[in-house]
Amino acid sequence: MSVDDAQRVTVIVTDGIADVRLSRPEKRNAIDPAMFAALVTTGEQLKTDPTVRVVVLSGAGPDFCAGLDFGSFQAMREGGRLSASVQLPDTDGPAKATGQRAAHVWAELAVPVIAAVRGNALGGGLQIALGADIRIVAPDARMSVLEIKWGLIPDMTGSQLLPELVGRDVAKELTLTGRMVSGTEAVAIGLATKLADDPLAAALEMATQIAGRSPHAVRAAKRLLDMAGRVDLTTGFAAEQVEIGALIGSPNQVEAITAGFEKRAPKFAD
């Protein structure tokens, strides 16, 4: 499968892995209205593809995403907001604004999303990466909550997600200063998951490992881990028992055990 919306985002699905790339390298994958639309449309399409078991999200060229296109800032000088001009279907999810949906759609996928970050991940670009479950970054990647430089605040879900990753005080420091963080520091403070000299290769390798696991167990694990800290323990523990009850004895769980005893690669059904 390939998706190409206004030449901004491309997708290739191979062996259950969706390789999704922001594709505007000549502009450092900066976000314009077409990019906003392509991100949301691509994420929504992937939600409906039962063959997808893992998503790898990266940027074409040397950068992940340098943030908003300069055209957006020019419009802001006149009080305009280009993202508001993007026409999207209504959503029942918590993210309503276009920018929020472009980042949060990746968190809404039932399958794991791994962001591979090299070069710049600035402002809105960083917030898109925050929508992923796992972030693999190059040591010399440049990451910043850059909105304060332009007299703005992170409004693509970042204000709510960042404190969960790095703590409230560090989130405030990063947001109020807009300072640049290297990939190495990002891992140290919890903004990223792990380092790799080639983040895309590392992300694809991890995706291959995950795609080889029972897709039902993987999705259940993501659901439970996304609940952790956001619901009370009674609710979380109850959900855990519902998920394990559904998995035990299911075809894929039986196949996992059988393949393990037979010392062969399992063959799971989507």
Side-chain angles (χ1 to χ4, degrees):
M1 179 187 79
S2 71
V3 175
D4 192 342
D5 191 337
Q7 305 292 320
R8 293 294 189 262
V9 175
T10 62
V11 181
I12 297 175
V13 178
T14 306
D15 297 329
I17 300 171
D19 184 344
V20 180
R21 304 193 189 193
L22 284 66
S23 187
R24 202 185 180 202
E26 73 284 358
K27 296 291 186 180
R28 297 185 179 275
N29 299 320
I31 313 167
D32 62 355
M35 179 72 84
F36 276 123
L39 285 164
V40 176
T41 300
T42 301
E44 293 294 340
Q45 289 176 344
L46 289 172
K47 287 182 185 180
T48 66
D49 189 341
T51 70
V52 172
R53 296 184 179 183
V54 192
V55 173
V56 173
L57 183 62
S58 66
D63 296 285
F64 181 77
C65 175
L68 289 182
D69 184 271
F70 282 134
S72 296
F73 293 114
Q74 292 169 349
M76 288 178 193
R77 295 176 65 179
E78 307 299 325
R81 191 175 186 182
L82 293 185
S83 62
S85 68
V86 179
Q87 298 297 313
L88 296 171
D90 292 337
T91 176
D92 294 330
K96 303 300 183 184
T98 297
Q100 291 177 331
R101 292 180 67 179
H104 193 63
V105 70
W106 308 104
E108 292 177 326
L109 264 65
V111 300
V113 178
I114 307 168
V117 178
R118 60 180 179 178
N120 291 300
L122 310 177
L126 175 59
Q127 292 178 86
I128 291 169
L130 295 183
D133 299 288
I134 296 166
R135 282 158 294 282
I136 302 178
V137 301
D140 59 353
R142 290 162 43 88
M143 307 171 77
S144 173
V145 188
L146 198 59
E147 284 80 3
I148 198 71
K149 176 181 178 180
W150 307 108
L152 302 170
I153 51 91
D155 67 332
M156 291 170 57
T157 75
S159 68
Q160 301 305 297
L161 298 182
L162 190 61
E164 186 176 65
L165 293 173
V166 301
R168 193 177 300 271
D169 56 342
V170 175
K172 289 178 179 179
E173 183 255 328
L174 295 175
T175 302
L176 300 177
T177 65
R179 72 178 180 86
M180 205 66 65
V181 175
S182 70
T184 300
E185 183 183 359
V187 171
I189 64 176
L191 185 60
T193 312
K194 61 185 298 186
L195 292 172
D197 291 332
D198 187 338
L200 181 56
L204 291 170
E205 180 180 358
M206 182 183 293
T208 299
Q209 292 177 325
I210 295 172
R213 304 299 186 185
S214 165
H216 291 88
V218 167
R219 292 179 181 218
K222 176 171 176 173
R223 286 193 292 269
L224 289 170
L225 293 171
D226 279 344
M227 292 174 66
R230 299 173 181 174
V231 300
D232 61 80
L233 287 179
T234 299
T235 301
F237 289 165
E240 190 177 74
Q241 292 307 298
V242 170
E243 297 286 7
I244 196 67
L247 289 171
I248 292 175
S250 65
N252 278 342
Q253 198 266 328
V254 171
E255 170 63 9
I257 293 174
T258 303
F261 281 131
E262 295 178 356
K263 298 182 179 179
R264 60 171 174 80
K267 296 179 181 179
F268 296 119
D270 293 308

